[in-house]
Amino acid sequence: MEKHRAIPKGYMTVGEVAKKMDVTVRTLQHYDREGLLRPSAVSEGGRRLYTDKDIIKLHQILSFKHLGFSLDDIKNRLSPLDTPAEVASILAAQADAVRQKIENLSQSLKELEALREEVLQMQTVNFKKYADIIVNLQMKNDFYWLIKHFDDQTLDHIRDRFDKESGKAFMERFLKLQNEAIQLQNAGIPADSEEGQQFAKTYWDMITEFTGQDMGMLSKLVEIGQFENADPQWKEWQIQANTYVEQALNVYFSNLGTDPFQEENQ
């Protein structure tokens, strides 16, 4: 690092840089200690001296800091600024970071707006449900809105039985089988046919996975699609699917010589 008796042309003191970039002298001293932004020179009196190139580097640091990067992350992202290609590269990196930040903020805004709508529809304060809704929104689960319809017993059961990934996988499996039920019905496949009964077995396996042998949960699963104030299109879709599901399961249970739904109500 060069030392100068006086402040030469083209150099700025730490105070001048702080004023120009709207930061504190203490911040610049901290960046110097952390090895983020060393002054280009020091006067004989010990004053830190900076150049226009240092200003550009400081702008990089402040931009990354504004985007939420830690000082260690910023240190790893800084690159030399000796050629136009290097300057262009760091600007491109900053632009990418800004775009990612915008995308993240846009997603956060959508989640907040969706949660607000759910809170207003629930008309009650339930922070456990709020937390579940947020988790499902972050997982981009389109059926996060179902949560407000479940009672606390069902939600506790789901939390005990499933983690985030397995819960989402179960919901996808449920929806897939509901669609399959409609397809079988539209194709005219009899519920008592081999194909219909294979479907019934697969469907019942899914139900037992959900209940975990707790037959009290059977009625809760059946209630999906029968929620009060549910989306009419969703409700109609569920009714159509359940028509075939009930027929197939009735035959399946008849062949087994048992009916878990009746046993539950005894």
Side-chain angles (χ1 to χ4, degrees):
M1 185 183 300
E2 299 179 29
K3 287 199 173 184
H4 299 269
R5 184 179 299 276
I7 300 175
K9 185 178 180 180
Y11 285 86
M12 293 166 277
T13 65
V14 67
E16 290 172 331
V17 172
K19 183 177 181 181
K20 186 172 185 177
M21 297 298 290
D22 195 24
V23 297
T24 65
V25 170
R26 181 174 295 181
T27 295
L28 292 174
Q29 292 170 340
H30 180 62
Y31 290 166
D32 185 5
R33 288 193 300 271
E34 294 294 321
L36 275 173
L37 182 64
R38 302 283 193 192
S40 292
V42 177
S43 71
E44 284 191 354
R47 302 179 74 182
R48 294 175 173 83
L49 303 177
Y50 296 86
T51 65
D52 286 336
K53 183 177 178 181
D54 296 324
I55 294 290
I56 298 299
K57 191 171 184 180
L58 177 57
H59 183 270
Q60 293 178 54
I61 294 169
L62 296 176
S63 296
F64 282 127
K65 190 171 183 295
H66 179 70
L67 291 170
F69 292 101
S70 69
L71 293 186
D72 285 339
D73 288 334
I74 294 172
K75 190 181 298 185
N76 293 330
R77 285 175 175 269
L78 294 178
S79 62
L81 299 174
D82 297 326
T83 67
E86 289 170 344
V87 175
S89 176
I90 194 63
L91 290 174
Q94 285 180 248
D96 287 341
V98 169
R99 277 190 287 270
Q100 185 61 52
K101 188 73 171 181
I102 291 172
E103 184 178 331
N104 292 342
L105 288 173
S106 297
Q107 182 60 34
S108 294
L109 178 59
K110 289 179 183 178
E111 292 169 2
L112 286 171
E113 291 175 337
L115 178 59
R116 176 181 176 275
E117 289 300 317
E118 294 302 293
V119 169
L120 291 174
Q121 291 181 32
M122 285 167 59
Q123 297 184 342
T124 184
V125 175
N126 188 320
F127 288 101
K128 289 179 74 173
K129 282 190 177 182
Y130 298 166
D132 286 338
I133 291 170
I134 290 171
V135 168
N136 279 271
L137 282 167
Q138 292 175 342
M139 293 176 64
K140 296 180 173 53
N141 181 356
D142 293 336
F143 297 95
Y144 63 87
W145 55 270
L146 285 171
I147 291 169
K148 67 175 173 286
H149 295 292
F150 290 123
D151 59 27
D152 289 338
Q153 178 190 2
T154 304
L155 285 175
D156 286 339
H157 175 82
I158 292 172
R159 294 184 192 106
D160 289 339
R161 291 283 301 156
F162 303 99
D163 59 22
K164 289 191 292 186
E165 294 302 325
S166 62
K168 184 179 180 181
F170 176 84
M171 192 64 192
E172 290 173 350
R173 184 181 172 195
F174 171 76
L175 296 172
K176 180 180 179 181
L177 287 174
Q178 293 293 90
N179 276 323
E180 186 178 339
I182 294 174
Q183 291 168 3
L184 290 170
Q185 185 179 55
N186 291 341
I189 305 298
D192 59 356
S193 67
E194 182 178 350
E195 188 174 353
Q197 286 306 287
Q198 181 57 52
F199 167 81
K201 181 182 184 307
T202 302
Y203 198 94
W204 182 243
D205 288 343
M206 177 201 64
I207 290 178
T208 54
E209 178 185 344
F210 175 82
T211 62
Q213 307 305 318
D214 181 358
M215 292 298 103
M217 286 293 109
L218 276 177
S219 58
K220 303 296 183 182
L221 189 60
V222 172
E223 287 173 4
I224 296 179
Q226 301 176 0
F227 298 125
E228 186 178 355
N229 299 323
D231 177 77
Q233 187 174 359
W234 161 269
K235 203 166 185 176
E236 169 101 21
W237 178 63
Q238 288 298 303
I239 290 173
Q240 186 179 357
N242 289 339
T243 298
Y244 189 86
V245 169
E246 290 174 9
Q247 293 173 359
L249 286 180
N250 284 337
V251 175
Y252 182 73
F253 295 141
S254 177
N255 292 335
L256 290 177
T258 183
D259 189 339
F261 288 95
Q262 289 185 357
E263 293 172 7
E264 178 200 1
N265 296 324
Q266 290 178 357

